[in-house]
Amino acid sequence: MGKVSKSPWLLHYDASSCNGCDIEVLDCLTPKYDIERFGIINTGDPFQADILLITGGVNSQTERVVKQLYSQMPEPKVVVAVGICACTGGVFKECYNIRGGIDTVIPVDVYVPGCAARPEAIIDGVVKALAVLDEKQAVMKTPEEKER
Amino acid sequence: MDKIRAFTLAGRMLKNLFRRPATTQYPFEPADYPERMRGHVRIEIGDCISCGLCMRSCPSGAIVVDRKAGTWTIDRFDCVQCGSCVTACPKKCLFMEKGYTEPDGVKKSETFVKPQEEPAGKTKKTG
Amino acid sequence: MVKVIFVLAYLIFAPFVGALLDGVDRIISARMQRRKGPKLLQPFYDLGKLFSKERIGVNNVQLFLNMSYLVILMIAGSMLFAGADLLMVLFILSTADMFLIMAASSDSSPYSNMGSSREMLQMMAYEPLTLLVAVGFYLTTGSFLVSDIIREDISAVLWMPGLLAGFMFTTAIKFRKSPFDLSTSHHAHQEMVKGLTTEMSGTTLAIMNIAEYYEMVLLLGIFFLFFVNSTWWSWIVALLLCAVIFFLETLWDNVSARVKWKTLLYSCWVVTLVAGGVNILILMLDK
Amino acid sequence: MIPFLIGIPAVLAVVFQIVRNEKIRGYIVYAGAGAIMAMTVVFIADWIGGGAKTWMFYPRTETIDHLMTAGDIFLMCLIVWLSVRYKRVLPMILSILQTVLVLYVEFTAEVTEGPHMMVDWLTILMCIIIAFIGGFICIYTVGYMKGYHQHHKDVKDRQPFFFSMLFLFLAAMFGLVLSQNLIWIYFFWEITSVISFLMIGYTRAEEAVGNSFCALWMNLLGGLGFAIAIVLMALGQESLQLTEVVSTGALLPLMCLSLAGLTKSAQLPFSTWLLGAMVAPTPSSALLHSATMVKAGVYLLIRISPALSGNLVGLIVSSIGGLTFIMASMMAIAQNDAKKVLAFSTISNLGLIVACSGIGVEETVWAAIFLMMFHAVSKSMLFQSVGATENTLGSRDIEDMHGLIIRVPRLAYIMGIGIAGMYLAPFGMLISKWVALKAFVDSGNVVLVLCIAYGSATTMFYWTKWLSKLLCRHIPRDTVKDVTRKDEYLSMLFHACVMLLMCLLLPLVARWLVNPIVRQLFGNSKDVLSMSVLATMAIMLVSIFVVPVAMFFISRRSHTELVPIYMNGINEGDNRFFTNSYGEKEHLYLSNWYLRFEFGRRHLRIPSIIIAAAVLVIGICLVIGGVSW
Amino acid sequence: MAKRSIVPFGPQHPVLPEPIHLDLVLEDETVVGAVPSIGYVHRGLETLVKKKDFKQYVYIAERICGICSCGHGLGYCMAVENVMGIDVPERAQYLRVIWVEMSRIHSHLLWLGLLADALGFESLFMESWRVREKILDMFDETTGGRIIHSVNQVGGVQKDMDSSMLKHLLETIKDIERDIKPLVDTFLKDYTVQSRLKGTGILKKDDAILLGAVGPMLRASGVEYDVRMLGYGAYKNLSMEPVTCTDGDSYGRCVVRIKELFQSFDLIREAIGKIPEGDIHVPVKGNPSGEYFLRIEQPRGEAIYYVKGNGTKFLDRFRLRTPTTSNIPPLVETLKGCQLADVPVLILTIDPCISCTER
Amino acid sequence: MEEKNDIREINARQFFPAIVKMRTEKWRLVQICATSVEGGCEMSYSFCRGYDMRTYRFVAYGDEEVASITQIYPCAFLQENEAKELFGVNITHIKPDYKDKLYRIEEETPFKEKE
Ligand code: SF4
Ligand code: SF4
Ligand code: SF4
Ligand code: SF4
Ligand code: SF4
Ligand code: SF4
Ligand code: SF4
Ligand code: SF4
């Protein structure tokens, strides 16, 4: 395990979801699922986050917010799209104000399906994301070393 | 009104300290789900008549039925597990079952081909 | 020589002890909440992670101000462990805090600025009591010097129980624990987002955390002074009591809501006046 | 020598009335200030060369006495005339009353002759402060007044008058600190009152006139106290020597002198005048706050402090000082006008000094002197930089100094050093506080201990928020042109250097300057702090000094990727705007805390004045009662 | 005059349940002005009635929000049933009430947790949510989903609860009741909690009516108005009284919700006691034509469903006026003059749900 | 309990007096619903008093100006802004007026019948 994956901190943003997935994300913090077991802290601050958990399909207003938050996170960072809405837009994809999945705005590393995504699924997704995080960190390090 | 108290929760906190945590062991131990869990849709492809009712009833358009090719495709990352298709299917060949679709780095869909040409096949396609 | 050893021990081990305590604290909190909680070494993993992250910031000075905060805190701590003047230690401690405030308000970011305003307020709230604690030690032992205080025959706490209680009260501010975690909080959901540390990430945040560990040990060191006396066993007792105090702070964190700033300020000042002032008055009349 | 010290500035004051050319006047100011400083240096060198003993001068001075009498009468007439013109009764009555009292003493009372002037370490210190800080303020004024009149077109340009007053002030201050005879001191004392009155009224605006009269009557009240003290001394002790007041320790004269000291140093309940004085051009504030006026008050109190130790008067003085310290610092929190903050901070700091001298033991006086020194330097510096900032930005609101470090970095640094000097370790103010606290504890005064504990917390609050506003690296919307002139910078830089040097050389200053003063005042040779303590302290402090610098260079080496600040994800381009609820760009604005509803002047002023007045009145009654018993 | 700070609050803010934005004007930390902005979760799902037929739309309605999912399904179905004149079997009506009251319990526990969280009372949050987990498990068992239940359909319910489930439900409720006792004590009596809740965000009775507050917000201001009293569904057979409180402050709203929690326990017990055997749904023929305004009481207050059919299987118009829409104006009113630290608490005391507000 | 739920059609001129009357009779504004109809938009304003509900309804044709009721019922601002933005109903003098930026959608008046 790399350094990052031992202490991944989350940033959760609701990009126009129905709350279903959000409360399940929050539920992961609570005693039954307690993702702090993995060293995960739910921080509200993009500057300190490693994993961006997004729920809901993106609409015209949240698009900017999502991009902004993503840009304020330091590398290495991964994006996890939680819920069908975040994956594809789900039942709302035909709405006039929905862009579709999160991947229409920023690159997504892990998709967690489910409506609402179950806490177990979210945990699985985060665990998957950790692997991606480690990979990214490895990539981040190598070019630097080559330069020297 | 009631008396105001301080440290109201202290007793509970101290007791909790010596209780077993309510935390499940997931993912190190598998979770068990109730019978009715709407986890994912399974198709008994052999019984399917490609009528397309499920496709039309699906609120998120996750199912594509191709009558000519005899295929039944579900986009797992589009299915909201509502069970509408299960109710709609006249042949009752769709089932809502336990267990959810694994999270993944790419969005997958699954295609089932009717077993006339070849035996019940499951081909995975990514999309 | 002993002094040098103490100072070196402090400089080297304080972050480790602090991080361990933090780990213990997190586990205890988790267990109180019927959660399993993180691993004991989680704070170390966090630090490791933070140092390995890409360095981003909103300006170029925050890092340097944060480092100054850390080093000045270290100086304050070293002075305490070198047996120097307690009052001076406290003054330098507040100077260190000043750097933290400047770091936080080094850019016009709304949340870290509001956080730093609150931090100033918190300083205003706890400062009187910390000064009185030093005065209390002076009155009981006749010296501000830590090296003299630990050589007393009777533990200072016997003379200054009020000050101890008051200090425990205000230390929640320093430990950034509920009900007094206004300026920045270890809990995720705070109206200040992350307050002071909103714009700190990676290394900068790691420095901040390390500084907090130093500070934690420093404060526990002051608690230690309350209990210690010239006998050897008092050291062990004092260590145990420090652990108890730490536990009580954790417990308090878990049984109270975060208060508003007015409650914070006024309650701290009143506690200072009642617990601290009365205690000092009695000491003065007595001596 | 001494006549020169007083004479040069006095003569220059006259010269400015004649010279009307701005350039030439500027050069004369430079030369004059230079001369004063040079004279002081020579004088001190001479004195130290002479063994640094206490010198007593001029036991018989018939003519000068008569001149002074004439001067007193002239001042009275001036006040009466101005009072009539502006229809104020109180100053008139006070002035006449005290002049009559003094004249009465002068012509009727039989007093033992004694030296009229004295030079000792305290005098020397005061001379240095007056000459150098005062001198540089004069230099600063040359540049400042140009900018001032460009900004305030509505104010009539009366610069010659202003410079006259500045130099006259310095002359009076020299006279005051060098005098030893109470009547002499009284004369100079009155001059300072009147000049400050004239300077406050410089703009002749309604508010300015009102405030100047406020200052006048309050100071005259103190003067009355002084006059009564003279009468009492003359009748009771048959001596007019300041040293006699101290050595006999009669309570009533002490009380009266303390009253004079308290009014002059703007302690509660008399602090109003100093706040009102803010309407004057900044150099006069600088002068009033740092080198002159208020220092006259604390000088007097420090002088008599050995006699205050442990008696009722001392208790009153120290209580009022303590109260002032904490109340003024609380009120400072609610201010956003930089000069108001400085004014409150002056009052509060003087409160601490007064409290120290009220306790009147070696340590406290040691602390008081240190506080006075640091206060003089940093206050003067702060006032000057605020003045320069005001000329540059067109505002002296602290809120408008947001990001000054980017806009006018040089001024920001100077102001920053000044602020740091007021309350941060490693600067001396803090060390003095340390000593003061220790001394208060030793003297067993629990109320003062509490005052200092709370007061330093509140002090910290308002300085910190100012400092952080200043140092915020916020790119402003509009750039400003720094219109600060060279002479202004010269003065400010000088102060900054002195400030830093004093911190670095703190142990030496303590040993060579402050310890002797204390020794002379108390007549023994106990060091307040042992050298080793001071030395270790200094090492610690210097290392703290070094840390930020070192860290600065270390952090320079690392590369940081710059990103926008956190604004809940709705930044609008740069760091100044966010999208508001109507979907438009909104200017982010961050204001400091002022706690107006908690610490506002409106809430605190009246109660604190009442308390202070009550303490004073009851105290005086007790003292009088005590005498009649 | 000190200047006032103008800062953004939200949409991305950890203390906010959902992306809502406020422009805050602060003096020190006192809020002197607040302008709300919504639209961060606006999807436009009301237009979907033109694309999904009225039976399919139940699934969309359920996803208006994940917290009142059950209620939205119910409200929509009842509105359509009213337009079409369908009589829903008794058993189905009882089942609906049971599920809806379960989600009220779920929602109020969730709210209590979030409130504790906004107060910085982490352990209380954890405890509340730990208890809530039991009701979620119950949902999982009876409906097959923790959050989105998919039980309502036009004409009845999709799933039945057998007697073992009902028994389990009773046990669970008993469990929860026992577990939340100390938590309720803390919410209502703890000093630190009270220092945050008492006297903040006072909404007077007249203001509450004028500004159109609904649900617990309205009842906490002393107005007796609970749409369940209309007796829709099985409520007509159950005994209940609206819970009110006269304080009108945050504390009052907390009291109301806690009492409603216990009211829900009783309602479920009574419903389980009275539930008749029988069908759970009736077949639906034809298409809706006509219109109807339907009111139901959601955990957050009265919601209004408007359905207008035109005789085809696609509806002309579906509109939902949610409780939060009505509660935002009173919220803005209560925000004025509060402290910054109160902002999240006040936002929470209306139990905001932006998701359904913006649809 | 029997619920009263009546819908009363009025014309645009009667509209404002009717609203004022509701206010004086202390009815609570519960909802404003816009529905696109031929050539315009049907506006329904519902009020509650006790458990009774009454809805006033009129049709605003084309660009016809509809006065905002925020002067009478300040809480109407959200729903009026919404009707304006999504249906293109020309409601004037809303306080506060979000100027069609409440939802900041990209499509203009998505609910309006388009020819
Ligand atoms: S899921 Fe998160 S953001 Fe959404 S309502 Fe719950 S706590 Fe708030
Ligand atoms: S996936 Fe389902 S539960 Fe999650 S946000 Fe979308 S509709 Fe809600
Ligand atoms: S369960 Fe629902 S969403 Fe999934 S395929 Fe069936 S109808 Fe579509
Ligand atoms: S409804 Fe059933 S039979 Fe028809 S296509 Fe779908 S799965 Fe096949
Ligand atoms: S692929 Fe996913 S949905 Fe399909 S059977 Fe496996 S787990 Fe179920
Ligand atoms: S940009 Fe705005 S906040 Fe910054 S200095 Fe200019 S006016 Fe002040
Ligand atoms: S309020 Fe109604 S719709 Fe919402 S969860 Fe509760 S019962 Fe379901
Ligand atoms: S009120 Fe809230 S919880 Fe209920 S449906 Fe609306 S958004 Fe969801």
Side-chain angles (χ1 to χ4, degrees), chain B residues 43 47-54 65 72 88-91 93-94:
Chain B
I43 183 168
D47 295 348
C48 174
I49 53 169
S50 297
C51 65
L53 280 180
C54 52
V65 180
W72 186 93
C89 178
K91 297 293 291 177
C93 64
L94 293 179

Side-chain angles (χ1 to χ4, degrees), chain E residues 9-176:
Chain E
F9 197 83
Q12 192 274 316
H13 193 299
V15 85
L16 288 174
E18 284 166 272
I20 177 175
H21 164 82
L22 289 166
D23 293 335
L24 288 185
V25 183
L26 302 172
E27 198 169 283
D28 294 350
E29 277 202 3
T30 311
V31 178
V32 289
V35 186
S37 140
I38 55 174
Y40 288 94
V41 282
H42 178 63
R43 289 156 285 184
L45 53 82
E46 284 174 356
T47 48
L48 282 183
V49 285
K50 309 260 162 107
K51 293 175 181 152
K52 312 276 172 195
D53 69 38
F54 74 95
K55 285 182 189 164
Q56 244 179 348
Y57 197 79
V58 182
Y59 299 110
I60 312 280
E62 280 176 338
R63 283 165 178 79
I64 290 172
C65 165
I67 305 174
C68 309
S69 156
C70 172
H72 286 310
L74 173 67
Y76 170 77
C77 291
M78 277 171 52
V80 175
E81 283 155 11
N82 263 304
V83 171
M84 299 175 74
I86 297 171
D87 268 333
V88 179
E90 277 284 291
R91 185 172 176 86
Q93 292 194 0
Y94 272 94
L95 285 173
R96 280 175 171 182
V97 165
I98 291 172
W99 270 313
V100 163
E101 287 305 325
M102 274 166 73
S103 26
R104 192 181 311 279
I105 295 169
H106 148 60
S107 170
H108 280 358
L109 280 173
L110 174 125
W111 179 82
L112 283 175
L114 289 178
L115 177 72
D117 194 29
L119 295 174
F121 204 149
E122 197 179 25
S123 50
L124 194 53
F125 158 72
M126 293 289 181
E127 285 283 297
S128 307
W129 279 50
R130 184 177 61 78
V131 175
R132 186 188 76 116
E133 209 61 48
K134 295 183 182 165
I135 207 86
L136 288 184
D137 285 347
M138 220 40 241
F139 269 125
D140 213 4
E141 186 182 330
T142 55
T143 73
R146 287 161 53 91
I147 301 297
I148 307 278
H149 312 313
S150 293
V151 284
N152 286 297
Q153 68 180 45
V154 177
V157 291
Q158 296 189 359
K159 294 187 177 103
D160 201 352
M161 278 196 236
D162 56 30
S163 57
S164 73
M165 281 180 185
L166 291 176
K167 211 169 127 234
H168 192 188
L169 178 59
L170 281 176
E171 280 162 14
T172 309
I173 284 177
K174 211 164 145 200
D175 244 24
I176 295 178

Side-chain angles (χ1 to χ4, degrees), chain C residues 111 118 187 189 254 258 261, chain E residues 8 29 117 119 122-123 196:
Chain C
Y111 288 93
R118 283 184 170 194
H187 303 326
H189 291 196
N254 273 301
R258 180 184 309 118
W261 69 262
Chain E
E29 277 202 3
D117 194 29
L119 295 174
E122 197 179 25
S123 50
R196 297 294 302 273

Side-chain angles (χ1 to χ4, degrees), chain A residues 19, chain E residues 64-68 72 298 300 322-324 352-356:
Chain A
N19 285 350
Chain E
I64 290 172
C65 165
I67 305 174
C68 309
H72 286 310
Q298 299 261 34
R300 283 148 189 83
T322 60
T324 305
C353 272
I354 308 307
S355 162
C356 63

Side-chain angles (χ1 to χ4, degrees), chain D residues 165-173 192 195-196 199 288 292-293:
Chain D
M165 289 300 120
L166 282 185
F167 278 88
L168 211 50
F169 217 135
L170 294 187
M173 278 308 287
T192 57
I195 299 179
S196 65
M199 291 216 295
L288 292 183
T292 59
M293 199 65 176

